[in-house]
């Protein structure tokens, strides 16, 4: 505790979220998490030690400037959220990309309407002429 009788919170100790139990059930997820943790630690010149299934303890390896520690803490929070956020839906699977050749008429154009989407473009409409090898929703 501190001199006011409260409990001091160590900014370099990160409690694992509830979803961390997945690490025990899923060896592949545990391996990926450990690899990400090692990469994180190497990038910030810190040791990031997983203590049981309870928390991660950050320790500097040599001198680590204060602003670097702050960035490391934020990065670790995002890493934990990425790996264990229960509310996180499965990431969208990237649609297979394909390459096509558009038929373009000099006066009527390609005869398609597109809109921007998270995956790139979404096809809203295809004219009969000049005709394309595409469907609405592609």
């Amino acid at each position: 505790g501190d001199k006011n009788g409260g409990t001091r919170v160590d900014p370099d100790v990160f409690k694992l979220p509830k979803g961390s139990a997945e690490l025990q059930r899923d060896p592949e997820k545990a391996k990926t998490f450990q690899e990400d943790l090692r990469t994180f630690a190497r990038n910030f010149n810190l040791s990031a030690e997983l203590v049981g299934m309870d928390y991660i303890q950050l320790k500097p390896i040599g001198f680590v400037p204060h602003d670097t520690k702050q960035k490391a803490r934020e990065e670790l929070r995002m890493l934990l959220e990425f790996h264990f956020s229960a509310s996180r839906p499965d990431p969208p699977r990237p649609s297979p990309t394909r390459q096509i050749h558009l038929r373009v008429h000099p006066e009527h154009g390609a005869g398609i309407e597109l809109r921007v989407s998270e995956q790139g473009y979404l096809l809203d409409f295809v004219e009969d002429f000049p005709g394309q090898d595409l469907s609405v929703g592609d």
Side-chain angles (χ1 to χ4, degrees), residues 101-122:
H101 293 280
L102 290 177
R103 290 185 280 279
V104 180
H105 187 272
E107 290 179 37
H108 301 285
I112 59 175
E113 291 180 17
L114 301 170
R115 70 180 139 118
V116 176
S117 76
E118 288 182 11
Q119 292 81 24
Y121 291 95
L122 187 63

Side-chain angles (χ1 to χ4, degrees), residues 7 13-14 16 18-19 23 26-27 48 51-52 56 58 66 68 90 98-99 104 114 125 131 133-134:
T7 303
V13 172
F14 290 79
L16 289 180
K18 288 185 173 96
L23 293 178
D26 186 345
V51 181
I56 294 173
L58 291 183
H66 180 73
T68 301
D90 288 338
R98 62 186 176 150
Q99 194 170 27
V104 180
L114 301 170
F125 186 76
D133 296 324
L134 296 166

